Amino acid sequence: MAITQSIVGTIVGRLGAARVHRVRLEIGKLSGVVPDAVRFAFELVTPGTTLEGAALEIDEPFGDARCRSCGRAFVTDEVLPLCACGSADVAVSGGQQLRIRDVGYRSEEGTGCARPADAAGPG
């Protein structure tokens, strides 16, 4: 619940009175955050805010890993991944993220899309 409240608070703080109609999150499979719990909490914390009624989309990227023993790179959704060679000496380099990818909104000036500062493409 606290994570979802923080996400909603961040969006409201950034966009003010703009009416939000869509929120897209990226929750990595290794992040420890349960997307269904975020969806449930989103429905509880958005009423009375500018996000009330907004659609919530969640992308769930897999983790990227490399075995330190054999050098094999692989993708995983396991929090404690094992390499096919049997080694647990694995470096995880992705799938742990939790971020707001973009937010669709309507303001007095029209419709917009707020994106993170490091997102590719026109902003």
Side-chain angles (χ1 to χ4, degrees):
M1 181 77 77
I3 290 170
T4 307
Q5 287 174 321
S6 177
I7 291 167
V8 170
T10 298
I11 294 169
V12 169
R14 179 96 184 259
L15 298 178
R19 195 77 176 141
V20 174
H21 60 87
R22 181 182 45 79
V23 174
R24 193 172 108 204
L25 304 177
E26 185 175 72
I27 301 176
K29 292 205 177 267
L30 308 182
S31 68
V33 177
V34 179
D36 284 341
V38 172
R39 286 182 186 95
F40 178 75
F42 191 81
E43 295 299 319
L44 295 177
V45 301
T46 56
T49 72
T50 56
L51 282 80
E52 185 170 0
L56 176 62
E57 301 169 7
I58 300 177
D59 299 330
E60 299 178 61
F62 284 90
D64 296 314
R66 178 171 299 279
C67 179
R68 292 185 183 111
S69 297
C70 73
R72 178 175 181 243
F74 59 99
V75 295
T76 184
D77 63 352
E78 298 293 326
V79 177
L80 298 171
L82 293 176
C83 181
C85 76
S87 176
D89 190 9
V90 174
V92 176
S93 61
Q96 299 164 319
Q97 65 272 34
L98 170 60
R99 63 183 290 179
I100 301 168
R101 290 299 302 166
D102 59 67
V103 178
Y105 66 94
R106 290 181 191 88
S107 66
E108 292 179 11
E109 294 82 37
T111 301
C113 179
R115 298 163 47 130
D118 63 343

